[in-house]
């Protein structure tokens, strides 16, 4: 019998249906609580508590600035930006922000379902929220880094760009992509426990395939266009830099491509998650 | 039907057991090839629970009780069939399910409340009540990992019942709490019942099911065998537990063919005469004492006989009918025969009644001097009869028998059997008795001052206010 996944018969499990379809407000509120819990639990018991995410981001920014700007003295010419020793460090960090939010969110989302057996099996719970929690938590942490970066940019370049107001729009593809892959990885991990490890390797490769530590211009020209099609994160790194450091969005086209790709990934991830969800409680 | 809180139609649940996790993936990739062994936890279970009814679910371990509850609650999907659940459901499937051990009790209460659909202010309103009921004092602000299992379940139960659920599902979790807490739980469940909540209750405690439930469902091997009046179902259930393997199937068939009690609304269909009377007409054989050939001890320990043999230990009614399902407070005779094959002197006989856990409740032997028999010749058979009154509360009990005397110049047990027979005192649906021994307690009330008692009617009707203990 190939019937573990019941048809879309609305009578089947009307309660779960009820929770899932009808109560958006309830789910949003619950997601908020869950993200809060997630962030709280990360630093639970530590003395500095909620200062920690701020401190980690700050330390990373300081390390990059120190290593690349002071020790290695890498200089970067960017139009409209004073050629300053610190610019490369800031530029690098601006590209790393979406990357960190993406990898942290995704790798934790992969085990979001398997680590919450209780919520899957013992209580009625809108399971579609589970992979979103680490994704949102990582995103919240990265916004702290964004704030620090903005302050640093203001100090070192004496500039404050109005393009920052576009950030909520610009990071939309990032959220879609991370949640989409997060859904996919979370669902697959339930059946195949090797996913989180595999993901670590893949993400490592992916990092060096993305023009974050090096500028796009150092990639051979004929494949530059492909990079943006295949890798939404390349576009994200670019628009983050545009908005934070350059002050002018120069990559709208690439961003739009990333948005399309991310939306497709999101829908695909959500679809496969929903498809596999009825089997979660059986396997865990 | 709008009056139904839960209706389950032909629900089956099949678990697939894979040899190896990768088999599951192989199947996802190549769906045509079967890689699993099937295990049917539920088969075509249909069930209707009207609003306000309390349904007990009984069955052996592994009979599918928890699977059924999980499907009703919505954490498991049925393989086939459909179900409809009307109203807010609050489930206590396992100890503090959904509690995060790293967070404090307070945080967990808020989170669980939110899961159950309450808003923050609503939970704040109820918080004192929840904390008061759980009664864990300062621990409420400690991480839940520091709780004892009793504290855990107390808090979980307090939250689960605080949301005024339309449907309350209680698995065996409550067994963890101490007795005082269990009593508070049951009074809380009773309060919810009176407010019209529907309750599903899984328990191995027959007396609790009889006491709390309007109806009881018997599950066996994933099959709903019978849904009937609790005492009726429990009697069948006990019969099934002790059935020998070779006769199991015929028993199940017999129970399966017993017509179910229609899932009537509790107040409409069972009028004031208590439910046990309502079934009288068609359940007559089980409503009086009877003999169940399968209610026999599984671990009889017979000592190596030294000159005598105990035969045919059993209980009879005063009119000579052999029974092993007894009614409390009635007169019975425990009797056995002893055949001697050696000459024995100064022979005495004895008996003892024990609980399932081995507690010795009471016994007797023929007193030393006056009633012992001076000499018994070989090949004599003596019938021993102990008259007794069954002053025991519902439950299962074991019987011992022993013969002592002097053989070959040595005083010893000639024969002795531990747990040689057993009987069950049948549950009473209107019993208030607790404990093991029925002390013939007869509680009654006296009116002391008229002002302090608010009682409808002017006179205090002492007769009707008398609480019958049976």
């Amino acid at each position: 019998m190939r019937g573990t996944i019941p048809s879309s018969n609305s009578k089947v499990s009307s309660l779960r249906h009820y929770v899932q379809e009808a109560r958006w407000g309830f789910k949003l509120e619950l997601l908020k609580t869950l993200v809060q819990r997630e962030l709280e639990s990360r630093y639970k018991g530590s003395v500095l508590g909620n200062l920690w995410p701020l401190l980690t981001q700050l330390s990373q920014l300081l390390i990059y600035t120190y290593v690349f700007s002071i020790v290695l003295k890498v200089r970067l010419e960017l139009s409209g930006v004073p050629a300053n020793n610190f610019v490369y460090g800031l530029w690098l960090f601006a590209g790393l922000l979406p990357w960190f939010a993406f990898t942290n969110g995704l790798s934790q989302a992969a085990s979001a379902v398997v680590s919450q057996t209780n919520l899957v099996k013992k209580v009625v719970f809108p399971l579609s929220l589970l992979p979103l929690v680490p994704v949102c938590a990582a995103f919240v942490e990265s916004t702290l880094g964004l704030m620090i970066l903005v302050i640093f940019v203001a100090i070192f370049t004496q500039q404050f760009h109005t393009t920052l107001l576009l950030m909520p729009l610009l990071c939309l593809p990032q959220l879609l992509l991370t949640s989409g892959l997060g859904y996919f990885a979370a669902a697959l991990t339930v059946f195949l426990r090797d996913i989180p490890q595999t993901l670590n390797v893949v993400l490592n490769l992916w990092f060096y395939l993305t023009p974050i530590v090096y500028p796009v211009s150092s990639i051979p020209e004929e494949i530059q266009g492909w990079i943006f099609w295949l890798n939404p994160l390349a576009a994200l790194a670019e628009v983050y830099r545009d908005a934070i450091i350059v002050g002018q969005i120069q990559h709208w086209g690439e961003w739009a491509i990333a948005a399309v790709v991310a939306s497709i990934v999101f829908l695909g991830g959500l679809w496969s998650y929903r498809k596999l969800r009825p089997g979660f409680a059986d396997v865990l | 039907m709008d009056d139904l809180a839960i209706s389950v139609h032909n629900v089956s649940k099949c678990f697939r057991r894979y040899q190896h996790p990768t088999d599951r993936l192989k199947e996802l990739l190549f769906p045509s090839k079967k890689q699993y062994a099937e295990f049917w936890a539920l088969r075509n279970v249909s069930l209707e629970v009207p609003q306000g009814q309390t349904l007990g679910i009984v069955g052996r371990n592994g009979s599918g009780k928890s699977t059924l509850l999980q499907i009703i609650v919505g954490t498991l999907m049925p393989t086939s069939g459909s179900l409809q659940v009307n109203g807010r459901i609050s489930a206590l499937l396992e100890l503090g399910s959904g509690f995060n051990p790293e967070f404090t009790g307070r945080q967990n209460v808020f989170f669980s409340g939110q899961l159950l659909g309450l808003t923050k202010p609503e939970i704040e309103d109820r918080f004192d009540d929840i904390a008061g009921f759980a009664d864990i004092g300062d621990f409420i602000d400690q991480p839940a990992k520091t709780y004892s299992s009793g504290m855990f379940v107390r808090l979980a139960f307090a939250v689960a019942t605080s949301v005024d659920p339309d449907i309350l599902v209680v698995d065996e979790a409550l067994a963890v709490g101490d007795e005082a807490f269990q009593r508070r739980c049951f009074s809380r469940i009773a309060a919810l019942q009176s407010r019209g909540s529907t309750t599903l209750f899984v328990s191995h405690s027959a007396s609790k099911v009889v006491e709390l439930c309007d109806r009881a469902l018997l599950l066996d091997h994933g099959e709903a065998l019978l849904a009937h009046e609790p005492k009726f179902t429990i009697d069948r259930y006990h019969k099934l537990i002790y059935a020998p393997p070779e006769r199991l199937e015929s028993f199940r068939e017999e129970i399966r063919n017993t017509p179910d009690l229609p899932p009537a609304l509790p107040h409409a269909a069972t009028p004031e005469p208590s439910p046990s009377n309502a079934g009288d007409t068609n359940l007559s054989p089980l409503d009086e004492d009877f003999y169940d050939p399968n209610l026999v001890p599984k671990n009889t320990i017979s000592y190596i006989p030294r000159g005598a043999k105990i035969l045919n230990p059993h209980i009879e009614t005063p009119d000579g009918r052999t029974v092993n399902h007894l009614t409390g407070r009635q007169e019975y005779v425990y009797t056995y025969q002893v055949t001697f094959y050696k000459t024995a002197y100064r022979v005495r006989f004895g008996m003892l009644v024990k609980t399932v856990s081995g507690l010795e409740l009471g016994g007797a032997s023929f007193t030393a001097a006056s009633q012992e028999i001076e000499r018994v010749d070989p090949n004599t058979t003596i019938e021993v009869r102990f008259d007794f009154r069954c002053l025991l509360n519902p439950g299962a009990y074991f019987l011992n028998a022993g013969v002592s005397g002097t053989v070959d110049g040595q005083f010893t047990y000639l024969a002795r059997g531990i747990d040689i027979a057993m009987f069950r005192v049948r549950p009473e649906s209107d019993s208030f008795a607790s404990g093991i021994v029925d002390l013939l307690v007869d509680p009654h009330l006296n009116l002391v001052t008229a002002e302090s008692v608010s009682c409808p009617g002017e006179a205090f009707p002492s007769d009707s206010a008398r609480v019958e203990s049976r």
Side-chain angles (χ1 to χ4, degrees):
Chain A
M1 272 194 70
R2 289 191 57 222
T4 1
I5 297 152
S7 57
S8 54
N9 183 351
S10 65
K11 274 189 168 181
V12 173
S13 152
S14 63
L15 187 88
R16 181 157 271 185
H17 223 249
Y18 173 59
V19 173
Q20 270 157 9
E21 306 289 315
R23 296 150 77 192
W24 274 103
F26 162 78
K27 279 166 86 170
L28 215 62
E29 191 65 26
L30 197 59
L31 181 63
K32 215 177 96 191
T33 315
L34 283 166
V35 173
Q36 248 167 22
R37 267 168 72 116
E38 172 85 20
L39 288 170
E40 253 175 65
S41 70
R42 260 181 222 179
Y43 308 102
K44 200 143 193 89
S46 59
V47 182
L48 292 177
N50 294 337
L51 274 178
W52 268 119
L54 208 66
L55 288 176
T56 21
Q57 300 280 348
L58 182 66
S59 68
Q60 284 193 347
L61 178 54
L62 289 176
I63 289 166
Y64 288 122
T65 326
Y66 176 74
V67 171
F68 291 105
S69 304
I70 297 175
V71 179
L72 296 175
K73 297 198 171 57
V74 182
R75 305 204 82 182
L76 194 71
E77 301 301 324
L78 284 174
S79 56
V81 183
N84 186 312
N85 270 347
F86 295 100
V87 170
Y88 182 75
L90 300 175
W91 178 85
L92 188 58
F93 191 69
L96 283 171
L97 271 180
W99 176 260
F100 281 142
F102 170 71
T103 41
N104 288 343
L106 179 55
S107 53
Q108 283 158 25
S111 40
V113 174
V114 283
S115 63
Q116 298 283 3
T117 323
N118 246 349
L119 292 183
V120 178
K121 295 182 76 169
K122 301 298 174 197
V123 277
V124 183
F125 182 85
L127 290 179
S128 51
L129 295 184
L130 280 181
L132 289 183
V133 175
V135 173
C136 293
F139 183 71
V140 170
E141 283 189 348
S142 85
T143 53
L144 294 174
L146 177 67
M147 286 193 275
I148 298 173
L149 179 63
V150 168
I151 294 169
F152 269 64
V153 170
I155 293 172
F156 289 116
T157 66
Q158 279 85 44
Q159 281 176 342
F160 186 83
H161 302 297
T162 47
T163 41
L164 282 173
L165 298 173
L166 287 170
M167 280 311 292
L169 176 69
L170 294 179
C171 59
L172 217 57
Q174 176 197 334
L175 282 175
L176 285 175
L177 182 77
T178 321
S179 343
L181 288 177
Y183 273 129
F184 190 68
L188 220 53
T189 305
V190 175
F191 302 94
L192 200 66
R193 297 294 169 112
D194 313 47
I195 296 294
Q197 286 80 357
T198 318
L199 207 56
N200 278 340
V201 179
V202 171
L203 286 175
N204 240 329
L205 274 173
W206 195 338
F207 179 70
Y208 290 102
L209 289 175
T210 312
I212 291 175
V213 283
Y214 52 89
V216 197
S217 50
S218 52
I219 303 173
E221 278 208 20
E222 54 270 31
I223 56 169
Q224 268 185 28
W226 280 104
I227 288 289
F228 289 111
W229 268 109
L230 293 172
N231 190 353
L233 279 160
L236 281 166
E238 289 305 319
V239 291
Y240 263 68
R241 285 163 176 165
D242 288 351
I244 301 165
I245 297 174
V246 180
Q248 187 189 354
I249 311 294
Q250 299 158 334
H251 296 85
W252 277 118
E254 288 84 350
W255 180 84
I257 294 170
V260 171
V261 173
S263 305
I264 294 168
V265 169
F266 178 76
L267 291 176
L270 190 60
W271 179 83
S272 45
Y273 187 80
R274 290 204 163 167
K275 192 91 184 147
L276 294 171
R277 184 171 55 198
F280 289 175
D282 295 1
V283 184
L284 288 176
Chain B
M1 256 175 87
D2 292 336
D3 310 340
L4 288 179
I6 299 165
S7 69
V8 175
H9 291 291
N10 281 323
V11 160
S12 299
K13 177 70 189 175
C14 173
F15 287 105
R16 296 170 175 191
R17 290 180 301 181
Y18 293 84
Q19 289 294 318
H20 197 266
T22 47
D23 287 351
R24 198 181 285 275
L25 190 77
K26 275 185 210 157
E27 194 187 285
L28 283 173
L29 298 174
F30 314 104
S32 54
K33 218 168 133 199
K34 264 195 184 183
Q35 304 275 1
Y36 55 86
E38 289 185 344
F39 172 74
W40 289 89
L42 289 177
R43 282 174 212 263
N44 292 324
V45 173
S46 291
L47 173 70
E48 290 188 333
V49 188
Q51 257 162 32
Q53 191 172 70
T54 301
L55 179 81
I57 301 178
V58 293
R60 293 183 282 189
N61 288 337
S63 57
K65 303 185 295 285
S66 297
T67 308
L68 180 62
L69 287 191
Q70 279 179 292
I71 286 177
I72 289 175
V73 167
T75 53
L76 272 185
M77 295 287 169
T79 307
S80 64
S82 64
L83 70 134
Q84 185 109 40
V85 178
N86 299 318
R88 169 146 70 187
I89 208 166
S90 180
L92 207 62
L93 289 183
E94 206 173 79
L95 271 188
S97 35
F99 277 19
N100 184 330
E102 294 296 324
F103 286 93
T104 68
R106 186 184 298 271
Q107 287 167 318
N108 275 308
V109 166
F110 273 83
F111 183 65
S112 302
Q114 218 182 339
L115 273 188
L116 291 166
L118 296 184
T119 60
K120 282 227 169 81
E122 278 176 319
I123 307 170
E124 267 156 26
D125 282 350
R126 295 162 204 231
F127 188 81
D128 288 340
D129 178 47
I130 293 171
F133 187 86
D135 193 22
I136 58 173
D138 296 340
F139 274 92
I140 194 79
D141 286 313
Q142 293 292 316
K145 63 182 173 189
T146 62
Y147 289 12
S148 71
S149 47
M151 290 157 90
F152 232 95
V153 79
R154 261 145 56 193
L155 194 60
F157 182 83
V159 178
T161 51
S162 70
V163 299
D164 299 324
D166 301 314
I167 301 166
L168 178 69
V169 176
V170 184
D171 207 343
E172 284 144 301
L174 291 186
V176 179
D178 62 21
E179 212 152 272
F181 179 70
Q182 282 192 25
R183 211 165 308 142
R184 276 197 293 153
C185 287
F186 290 122
S187 64
R188 188 126 183 191
I189 292 175
L192 286 172
Q193 276 175 337
S194 67
R195 252 182 283 162
S197 292
T198 310
T199 310
L200 293 189
F201 181 67
V202 167
S203 179
H204 284 294
S205 156
S207 55
K208 282 282 177 287
V209 171
V210 171
E211 189 183 320
L212 274 172
C213 300
D214 302 311
R215 215 153 59 101
L217 173 77
L218 171 58
L219 276 180
D220 194 53
H221 285 98
E223 197 182 347
L225 287 184
L226 179 74
H228 215 290
E229 191 260 308
K231 195 161 119 253
F232 186 86
T233 306
I234 293 276
D235 278 343
R236 260 65 178 185
Y237 168 51
H238 285 146
K239 222 174 151 179
L240 198 66
I241 298 180
Y242 293 103
E246 66 274 11
R247 298 208 36 209
L248 197 66
E249 206 32 60
S250 64
F251 267 137
R252 302 182 65 216
E253 193 56 42
E254 186 190 314
I255 298 172
R256 197 180 293 138
N257 292 336
T258 313
D260 283 358
L261 188 72
L265 294 170
H267 303 298
T270 15
E272 278 323 293
S274 72
S276 60
N277 299 337
D280 249 356
T281 43
N282 50 351
L283 344 170
S284 46
L286 277 182
D287 234 38
E288 52 184 55
D289 300 343
F290 63 96
Y291 183 75
D292 175 358
N294 301 304
L295 185 66
V296 288
K298 293 210 168 123
N299 301 307
T300 301
I301 301 164
S302 293
Y303 283 54
I304 299 161
R306 305 177 71 170
K309 209 171 170 185
I310 297 172
L311 299 165
N312 192 21
H314 65 276
I315 292 173
E316 289 177 1
T317 57
D319 54 5
R321 218 155 45 83
T322 300
V323 291
N324 59 8
H325 279 66
L326 316 187
T327 309
R329 299 191 178 179
Q330 299 300 309
E331 302 278 350
Y332 295 95
V333 184
Y334 173 39
T335 173
Y336 57 86
Q337 293 176 351
V338 183
T339 303
F340 293 83
Y341 44 93
K342 275 187 180 169
T343 308
Y345 301 91
R346 308 183 60 197
V347 175
R348 280 188 249 162
F349 304 96
M351 59 86 80
L352 180 67
V353 179
K354 297 196 299 182
T355 63
V356 175
S357 55
L359 177 67
E360 300 183 355
L361 291 175
S365 65
F366 286 75
T367 50
S370 60
Q371 286 174 297
E372 67 182 29
I373 307 170
E374 215 37 70
R375 175 197 160 109
V376 182
D377 291 324
N379 297 320
T380 316
T381 297
I382 296 175
E383 185 186 60
V384 192
R385 294 177 72 85
F386 299 94
D387 292 351
F388 72 101
R389 197 163 162 205
C390 178
L391 294 180
L392 293 169
N393 284 322
Y397 299 92
F398 288 90
L399 286 164
N400 286 8
V403 190
S404 60
T406 307
V407 191
D408 305 332
Q410 202 184 359
F411 186 80
T412 177
Y413 272 111
L414 304 180
R416 190 181 181 194
I418 311 281
D419 295 349
I420 201 168
M422 70 182 292
F423 63 94
R424 179 175 281 288
V425 179
R426 299 185 306 125
E428 299 279 325
S429 41
D430 51 353
S431 166
F432 291 96
S434 59
I436 302 163
V437 179
D438 180 4
L439 292 175
L440 303 174
V441 179
D442 189 7
H444 41 110
L445 308 168
N446 282 324
L447 184 60
V448 184
T449 48
E451 290 81 20
S452 62
V453 183
S454 67
C455 177
E458 45 195 284
F460 194 72
S462 69
D463 257 10
S464 61
R466 220 154 135 149
V467 187
E468 288 293 331
S469 68
R470 296 207 70 92

